[in-house]
Amino acid sequence: MSAICKVRSILDDSFINNLPLTEVFVDSITCPKNISKVVLELNLLFPLPELIHLKRVKSKEVLLFPSQNIVKEEVHKILQERGFPIDLLKNEIRKVEVAAVPPLVRSQYLQCHSIWPCNFHSDKYIEKLYTNTLFSDEELKIKMKFMNITEDIGKFSKNNNGVLIVDPKSNSVVAVGYDRSNDGPCRHAVMVAIDNVSKSQRGGCWTNDEYFTVDQCNSNCKDIPSDILALLRGKYTDIKFSDSALIPSERVTPYLCTGYDVFSTREPCIMCAMALIHSRAKRVFYGKSSENGGLGTLCKIHTVKNLNHHYEVFIVENIEEKKDS
Amino acid sequence: MLNKVIHSDILQKKRKLDSSKEESTSPTCINGNIKTNYFSEYEQKYMEKAFELANEALQSNEVPVGCIFVYEDNIIAIGRNMVNETRNATRHAEMCCIDQVNDFCKKENLNFIAVFKETFVYVTVEPCIMCAAALYDLKVKSIIYGCKNDRFGGETVFNVADVLKPVTTRKGGYRADDAMNLLKLFYQGVNPSAPSSKLKRKFKETT
Ligand SMILES: [Zn+2]
Ligand SMILES: [Zn+2]
């Protein structure tokens, strides 16, 4: 099967939206050789701390100050009052809309730079996220395989909701979960998987004894129900299941889901999205958007400012289209 | 009714005396357009019970949050934070209570959807985003809480109600300073399950 898999980042709106604009006054410089003098005087008399990302000059025009409620005719009066030598300017005042905030990605930079020049410090990592080029083809293949396993796990629930928690350092499966809301209203696949990670760390709250054989309980895979484990091991022979959680050589016991990738058939709801914040997940990949989704549809919990942890979110598109039909 | 009003007046005066920061103690209410700025005797009684549970959590080295669920004037669930004990960061007091209500419904052969709709939640700290979303989805009747949750609050940090448009009424501010002081006591100490900063650094190096 050829991997037609596209992994798209779900970024904060501030990266996606057009930059908000604000109106400023600009004027033309009388004599080009005075440019530096004009800029120096303006920076001194009219500093623009909020618009520091903007260049002060565009060819023969200079940016004066935000227009606010000031009329064009009063601009030179204001300049003069502050002691600016107005003979350096032509008094050909124009109102121009410029970027109100610094551009975060190249496309925003290009959008605002065409109106008025601005500074831009490209963040290579964010640019990769924005252009969906973070993962190599090899990595994409692995992500897709994990997504396939997640779908297989979902089949154990009545609504096909499955979750897989993976340690990306070793590409091994730490825990699985599928929707068990028959046993309790909050036992969404994500919540079950999180609890199964806790179990791999000698914790956990929900019993699932009925899912395990005695033999299973003695192995270090007790967070994966035995029937699922057998099925997965048979089908995905090259994937390690639940071997990484407590590698003795690692010395440090894993803390919650720190460093783990989470794969989910559907976009997690707000409760589950926040549960993954509490659990310190590293990345969340999901297959389909949900009506009640908290990672792109209703809101983007992973971009809420003031939270002490954030994870990255990706939607894995076109996974196994054949099987869907 | 008159009695209640008088009582609430006394309570408010007392609260003002108790605290120098008047603002943080004044109860807030988001209940449609109805402004309710006092707590009935019932509410006080149940909140006191929630505070007992918060204290118990503190003694057990857990984030001191206590919670009770009340249905038809009966306490049907009592919960406190159990994150460290279960190594599961989602085991907040409210989540523990939700599981208990589910057990209660099974035992009493009641429809849990119907029960949650008539359930009053009393919790010492504003529910976090996760718990708020869970409680709104379950359509609980009301949430009454103590102090704001400025780290994870489902109103304060991100207003879940804006997106989920819940039927649940919310009212906060009961002994807010006391609830907050309990949290401060906990965070001044060391969370025994969290890796120390040194360990954390080590962990980061290996990731
Ligand atoms: Zn969910
Ligand atoms: Zn919570």
Side-chain angles (χ1 to χ4, degrees), chain A residues 137-166:
Chain A
D137 284 353
E138 198 53 43
E139 286 170 314
L140 286 178
K141 259 184 210 162
I142 296 169
K143 308 289 177 223
M144 178 157 170
K145 184 165 274 176
F146 284 132
M147 243 5 244
N148 290 339
I149 300 175
T150 309
E151 300 221 316
D152 282 346
I153 291 158
K155 285 169 196 156
F156 285 84
S157 73
K158 61 179 195 307
N159 52 14
N160 288 323
N161 281 354
V163 165
L164 188 75
I165 298 186
V166 171

mmCIF file of all heavy atoms in Angstrom, chain A residues 137-166:
data_model
loop_
_atom_site.group_PDB
_atom_site.id
_atom_site.type_symbol
_atom_site.label_atom_id
_atom_site.label_comp_id
_atom_site.label_asym_id
_atom_site.label_seq_id
_atom_site.Cartn_x
_atom_site.Cartn_y
_atom_site.Cartn_z
ATOM 1 N N ASP A 137 10.102 11.753 4.824
ATOM 2 C CA ASP A 137 9.240 10.706 4.278
ATOM 3 C C ASP A 137 9.257 9.469 5.169
ATOM 4 O O ASP A 137 8.237 8.816 5.385
ATOM 5 C CB ASP A 137 9.686 10.337 2.857
ATOM 6 C CG ASP A 137 9.257 11.408 1.854
ATOM 7 O OD1 ASP A 137 8.517 12.329 2.280
ATOM 8 O OD2 ASP A 137 9.670 11.339 0.690
ATOM 9 N N GLU A 138 10.457 9.179 5.655
ATOM 10 C CA GLU A 138 10.613 8.015 6.531
ATOM 11 C C GLU A 138 9.755 8.179 7.789
ATOM 12 O O GLU A 138 9.028 7.273 8.207
ATOM 13 C CB GLU A 138 12.102 7.874 6.892
ATOM 14 C CG GLU A 138 12.504 6.520 7.417
ATOM 15 C CD GLU A 138 12.076 5.384 6.484
ATOM 16 O OE1 GLU A 138 12.223 5.505 5.235
ATOM 17 O OE2 GLU A 138 11.563 4.387 7.013
ATOM 18 N N GLU A 139 9.838 9.377 8.373
ATOM 19 C CA GLU A 139 9.053 9.653 9.594
ATOM 20 C C GLU A 139 7.552 9.596 9.304
ATOM 21 O O GLU A 139 6.784 9.085 10.106
ATOM 22 C CB GLU A 139 9.429 11.032 10.160
ATOM 23 C CG GLU A 139 10.788 11.050 10.839
ATOM 24 C CD GLU A 139 11.251 12.460 11.185
ATOM 25 O OE1 GLU A 139 11.136 13.362 10.327
ATOM 26 O OE2 GLU A 139 11.720 12.655 12.306
ATOM 27 N N LEU A 140 7.179 10.124 8.136
ATOM 28 C CA LEU A 140 5.760 10.104 7.768
ATOM 29 C C LEU A 140 5.234 8.675 7.678
ATOM 30 O O LEU A 140 4.121 8.384 8.092
ATOM 31 C CB LEU A 140 5.542 10.825 6.432
ATOM 32 C CG LEU A 140 5.640 12.346 6.466
ATOM 33 C CD1 LEU A 140 5.463 12.927 5.074
ATOM 34 C CD2 LEU A 140 4.596 12.943 7.403
ATOM 35 N N LYS A 141 6.074 7.778 7.146
ATOM 36 C CA LYS A 141 5.677 6.377 7.027
ATOM 37 C C LYS A 141 5.410 5.789 8.408
ATOM 38 O O LYS A 141 4.429 5.049 8.594
ATOM 39 C CB LYS A 141 6.795 5.582 6.335
ATOM 40 C CG LYS A 141 6.509 5.327 4.872
ATOM 41 C CD LYS A 141 7.601 4.458 4.268
ATOM 42 C CE LYS A 141 7.760 4.786 2.799
ATOM 43 N NZ LYS A 141 9.034 4.310 2.256
ATOM 44 N N ILE A 142 6.274 6.129 9.349
ATOM 45 C CA ILE A 142 6.100 5.593 10.716
ATOM 46 C C ILE A 142 4.829 6.163 11.341
ATOM 47 O O ILE A 142 4.038 5.437 11.939
ATOM 48 C CB ILE A 142 7.342 5.912 11.577
ATOM 49 C CG1 ILE A 142 8.568 5.199 11.007
ATOM 50 C CG2 ILE A 142 7.121 5.500 13.025
ATOM 51 C CD1 ILE A 142 9.883 5.648 11.613
ATOM 52 N N LYS A 143 4.620 7.475 11.161
ATOM 53 C CA LYS A 143 3.406 8.101 11.719
ATOM 54 C C LYS A 143 2.167 7.416 11.156
ATOM 55 O O LYS A 143 1.204 7.170 11.863
ATOM 56 C CB LYS A 143 3.327 9.598 11.372
ATOM 57 C CG LYS A 143 4.566 10.426 11.715
ATOM 58 C CD LYS A 143 4.765 10.629 13.183
ATOM 59 C CE LYS A 143 6.043 11.398 13.464
ATOM 60 N NZ LYS A 143 6.802 10.844 14.583
ATOM 61 N N MET A 144 2.231 7.130 9.869
ATOM 62 C CA MET A 144 1.076 6.510 9.235
ATOM 63 C C MET A 144 0.846 5.108 9.776
ATOM 64 O O MET A 144 -0.298 4.699 9.997
ATOM 65 C CB MET A 144 1.288 6.462 7.735
ATOM 66 C CG MET A 144 0.132 5.787 7.051
ATOM 67 S SD MET A 144 0.045 6.297 5.376
ATOM 68 C CE MET A 144 -1.157 5.147 4.772
ATOM 69 N N LYS A 145 1.938 4.402 10.007
ATOM 70 C CA LYS A 145 1.795 3.053 10.575
ATOM 71 C C LYS A 145 1.140 3.137 11.957
ATOM 72 O O LYS A 145 0.220 2.372 12.260
ATOM 73 C CB LYS A 145 3.170 2.378 10.661
ATOM 74 C CG LYS A 145 3.088 0.942 11.138
ATOM 75 C CD LYS A 145 4.369 0.190 10.882
ATOM 76 C CE LYS A 145 4.420 -0.408 9.493
ATOM 77 N NZ LYS A 145 5.705 -1.062 9.197
ATOM 78 N N PHE A 146 1.585 4.089 12.755
ATOM 79 C CA PHE A 146 0.979 4.241 14.089
ATOM 80 C C PHE A 146 -0.501 4.617 13.982
ATOM 81 O O PHE A 146 -1.321 4.177 14.770
ATOM 82 C CB PHE A 146 1.743 5.281 14.913
ATOM 83 C CG PHE A 146 3.053 4.763 15.454
ATOM 84 C CD1 PHE A 146 4.218 5.506 15.321
ATOM 85 C CD2 PHE A 146 3.114 3.540 16.100
ATOM 86 C CE1 PHE A 146 5.430 5.024 15.821
ATOM 87 C CE2 PHE A 146 4.317 3.050 16.608
ATOM 88 C CZ PHE A 146 5.479 3.800 16.461
ATOM 89 N N MET A 147 -0.814 5.424 12.980
ATOM 90 C CA MET A 147 -2.220 5.797 12.769
ATOM 91 C C MET A 147 -3.038 4.557 12.409
ATOM 92 O O MET A 147 -4.164 4.389 12.868
ATOM 93 C CB MET A 147 -2.296 6.807 11.619
ATOM 94 C CG MET A 147 -2.802 8.190 11.888
ATOM 95 S SD MET A 147 -3.204 8.736 13.508
ATOM 96 C CE MET A 147 -4.924 9.013 13.300
ATOM 97 N N ASN A 148 -2.455 3.673 11.604
ATOM 98 C CA ASN A 148 -3.150 2.437 11.233
ATOM 99 C C ASN A 148 -3.389 1.562 12.458
ATOM 100 O O ASN A 148 -4.472 0.997 12.621
ATOM 101 C CB ASN A 148 -2.329 1.655 10.198
ATOM 102 C CG ASN A 148 -2.305 2.360 8.848
ATOM 103 O OD1 ASN A 148 -3.174 3.192 8.572
ATOM 104 N ND2 ASN A 148 -1.316 2.055 8.032
ATOM 105 N N ILE A 149 -2.373 1.454 13.307
ATOM 106 C CA ILE A 149 -2.532 0.654 14.531
ATOM 107 C C ILE A 149 -3.650 1.255 15.379
ATOM 108 O O ILE A 149 -4.501 0.550 15.919
ATOM 109 C CB ILE A 149 -1.212 0.616 15.335
ATOM 110 C CG1 ILE A 149 -0.078 0.004 14.504
ATOM 111 C CG2 ILE A 149 -1.397 -0.154 16.642
ATOM 112 C CD1 ILE A 149 1.287 0.035 15.173
ATOM 113 N N THR A 150 -3.660 2.599 15.452
ATOM 114 C CA THR A 150 -4.678 3.284 16.257
ATOM 115 C C THR A 150 -6.087 2.942 15.763
ATOM 116 O O THR A 150 -6.997 2.711 16.555
ATOM 117 C CB THR A 150 -4.448 4.802 16.197
ATOM 118 O OG1 THR A 150 -3.080 5.079 16.504
ATOM 119 C CG2 THR A 150 -5.322 5.530 17.197
ATOM 120 N N GLU A 151 -6.224 2.899 14.442
ATOM 121 C CA GLU A 151 -7.539 2.539 13.880
ATOM 122 C C GLU A 151 -7.918 1.112 14.249
ATOM 123 O O GLU A 151 -9.082 0.830 14.550
ATOM 124 C CB GLU A 151 -7.502 2.699 12.364
ATOM 125 C CG GLU A 151 -7.187 4.131 11.952
ATOM 126 C CD GLU A 151 -8.021 4.586 10.790
ATOM 127 O OE1 GLU A 151 -8.165 3.799 9.852
ATOM 128 O OE2 GLU A 151 -8.514 5.725 10.842
ATOM 129 N N ASP A 152 -6.926 0.233 14.215
ATOM 130 C CA ASP A 152 -7.196 -1.161 14.602
ATOM 131 C C ASP A 152 -7.665 -1.233 16.049
ATOM 132 O O ASP A 152 -8.561 -2.001 16.386
ATOM 133 C CB ASP A 152 -5.931 -2.016 14.424
ATOM 134 C CG ASP A 152 -5.708 -2.386 12.962
ATOM 135 O OD1 ASP A 152 -6.658 -2.211 12.164
ATOM 136 O OD2 ASP A 152 -4.600 -2.838 12.618
ATOM 137 N N ILE A 153 -7.046 -0.432 16.904
ATOM 138 C CA ILE A 153 -7.434 -0.424 18.321
ATOM 139 C C ILE A 153 -8.853 0.117 18.473
ATOM 140 O O ILE A 153 -9.645 -0.381 19.260
ATOM 141 C CB ILE A 153 -6.428 0.408 19.141
ATOM 142 C CG1 ILE A 153 -5.083 -0.300 19.190
ATOM 143 C CG2 ILE A 153 -6.935 0.657 20.556
ATOM 144 C CD1 ILE A 153 -3.933 0.609 19.488
ATOM 145 N N GLY A 154 -9.162 1.145 17.677
ATOM 146 C CA GLY A 154 -10.495 1.738 17.735
ATOM 147 C C GLY A 154 -11.596 0.719 17.479
ATOM 148 O O GLY A 154 -12.704 0.844 18.008
ATOM 149 N N LYS A 155 -11.269 -0.292 16.685
ATOM 150 C CA LYS A 155 -12.279 -1.298 16.341
ATOM 151 C C LYS A 155 -12.768 -2.082 17.551
ATOM 152 O O LYS A 155 -13.787 -2.764 17.482
ATOM 153 C CB LYS A 155 -11.728 -2.249 15.275
ATOM 154 C CG LYS A 155 -11.698 -1.598 13.897
ATOM 155 C CD LYS A 155 -10.904 -2.424 12.901
ATOM 156 C CE LYS A 155 -10.558 -1.571 11.683
ATOM 157 N NZ LYS A 155 -9.370 -2.082 10.994
ATOM 158 N N PHE A 156 -12.015 -2.005 18.659
ATOM 159 C CA PHE A 156 -12.466 -2.686 19.880
ATOM 160 C C PHE A 156 -13.583 -1.911 20.584
ATOM 161 O O PHE A 156 -14.205 -2.406 21.502
ATOM 162 C CB PHE A 156 -11.296 -2.877 20.852
ATOM 163 C CG PHE A 156 -10.362 -3.956 20.433
ATOM 164 C CD1 PHE A 156 -9.350 -3.705 19.518
ATOM 165 C CD2 PHE A 156 -10.491 -5.239 20.934
ATOM 166 C CE1 PHE A 156 -8.484 -4.709 19.116
ATOM 167 C CE2 PHE A 156 -9.631 -6.251 20.536
ATOM 168 C CZ PHE A 156 -8.628 -5.986 19.626
ATOM 169 N N SER A 157 -13.816 -0.653 20.169
ATOM 170 C CA SER A 157 -14.875 0.142 20.797
ATOM 171 C C SER A 157 -16.068 0.231 19.858
ATOM 172 O O SER A 157 -15.947 -0.036 18.666
ATOM 173 C CB SER A 157 -14.370 1.556 21.103
ATOM 174 O OG SER A 157 -14.258 2.297 19.904
ATOM 175 N N LYS A 158 -17.203 0.645 20.431
ATOM 176 C CA LYS A 158 -18.408 0.683 19.599
ATOM 177 C C LYS A 158 -18.388 1.863 18.633
ATOM 178 O O LYS A 158 -19.088 1.855 17.630
ATOM 179 C CB LYS A 158 -19.662 0.718 20.481
ATOM 180 C CG LYS A 158 -19.777 1.938 21.400
ATOM 181 C CD LYS A 158 -21.068 1.860 22.192
ATOM 182 C CE LYS A 158 -21.439 3.186 22.836
ATOM 183 N NZ LYS A 158 -20.413 3.834 23.661
ATOM 184 N N ASN A 159 -17.588 2.871 18.926
ATOM 185 C CA ASN A 159 -17.568 4.037 18.039
ATOM 186 C C ASN A 159 -16.237 4.233 17.301
ATOM 187 O O ASN A 159 -15.952 5.308 16.799
ATOM 188 C CB ASN A 159 -17.941 5.299 18.829
ATOM 189 C CG ASN A 159 -17.103 5.453 20.075
ATOM 190 O OD1 ASN A 159 -16.076 4.779 20.229
ATOM 191 N ND2 ASN A 159 -17.507 6.337 20.974
ATOM 192 N N ASN A 160 -15.456 3.166 17.249
ATOM 193 C CA ASN A 160 -14.190 3.191 16.497
ATOM 194 C C ASN A 160 -13.188 4.236 16.978
ATOM 195 O O ASN A 160 -12.375 4.719 16.198
ATOM 196 C CB ASN A 160 -14.451 3.413 14.999
ATOM 197 C CG ASN A 160 -15.062 2.192 14.353
ATOM 198 O OD1 ASN A 160 -14.705 1.059 14.693
ATOM 199 N ND2 ASN A 160 -16.008 2.400 13.457
ATOM 200 N N ASN A 161 -13.271 4.589 18.264
ATOM 201 C CA ASN A 161 -12.314 5.556 18.790
ATOM 202 C C ASN A 161 -11.157 4.843 19.475
ATOM 203 O O ASN A 161 -11.343 4.174 20.486
ATOM 204 C CB ASN A 161 -12.986 6.489 19.797
ATOM 205 C CG ASN A 161 -13.779 7.572 19.118
ATOM 206 O OD1 ASN A 161 -13.749 7.696 17.894
ATOM 207 N ND2 ASN A 161 -14.501 8.357 19.893
ATOM 208 N N GLY A 162 -9.997 5.015 18.903
ATOM 209 C CA GLY A 162 -8.817 4.389 19.479
ATOM 210 C C GLY A 162 -7.714 5.403 19.709
ATOM 211 O O GLY A 162 -7.676 6.449 19.054
ATOM 212 N N VAL A 163 -6.835 5.092 20.666
ATOM 213 C CA VAL A 163 -5.696 5.968 20.969
ATOM 214 C C VAL A 163 -4.470 5.098 21.211
ATOM 215 O O VAL A 163 -4.551 4.017 21.786
ATOM 216 C CB VAL A 163 -5.994 6.842 22.210
ATOM 217 C CG1 VAL A 163 -4.712 7.470 22.764
ATOM 218 C CG2 VAL A 163 -6.984 7.951 21.850
ATOM 219 N N LEU A 164 -3.341 5.600 20.733
ATOM 220 C CA LEU A 164 -2.075 4.901 20.870
ATOM 221 C C LEU A 164 -1.074 5.898 21.448
ATOM 222 O O LEU A 164 -0.985 7.024 20.972
ATOM 223 C CB LEU A 164 -1.622 4.454 19.477
ATOM 224 C CG LEU A 164 -0.425 3.548 19.335
ATOM 225 C CD1 LEU A 164 -0.808 2.133 19.748
ATOM 226 C CD2 LEU A 164 0.033 3.534 17.877
ATOM 227 N N ILE A 165 -0.355 5.486 22.476
ATOM 228 C CA ILE A 165 0.667 6.370 23.031
ATOM 229 C C ILE A 165 2.033 5.749 22.770
ATOM 230 O O ILE A 165 2.278 4.584 23.083
ATOM 231 C CB ILE A 165 0.408 6.659 24.519
ATOM 232 C CG1 ILE A 165 -0.944 7.381 24.634
ATOM 233 C CG2 ILE A 165 1.546 7.505 25.113
ATOM 234 C CD1 ILE A 165 -1.318 7.865 26.001
ATOM 235 N N VAL A 166 2.888 6.547 22.124
ATOM 236 C CA VAL A 166 4.143 6.048 21.573
ATOM 237 C C VAL A 166 5.312 6.825 22.156
ATOM 238 O O VAL A 166 5.224 8.041 22.341
ATOM 239 C CB VAL A 166 4.140 6.216 20.028
ATOM 240 C CG1 VAL A 166 5.490 5.911 19.431
ATOM 241 C CG2 VAL A 166 3.061 5.347 19.393
#
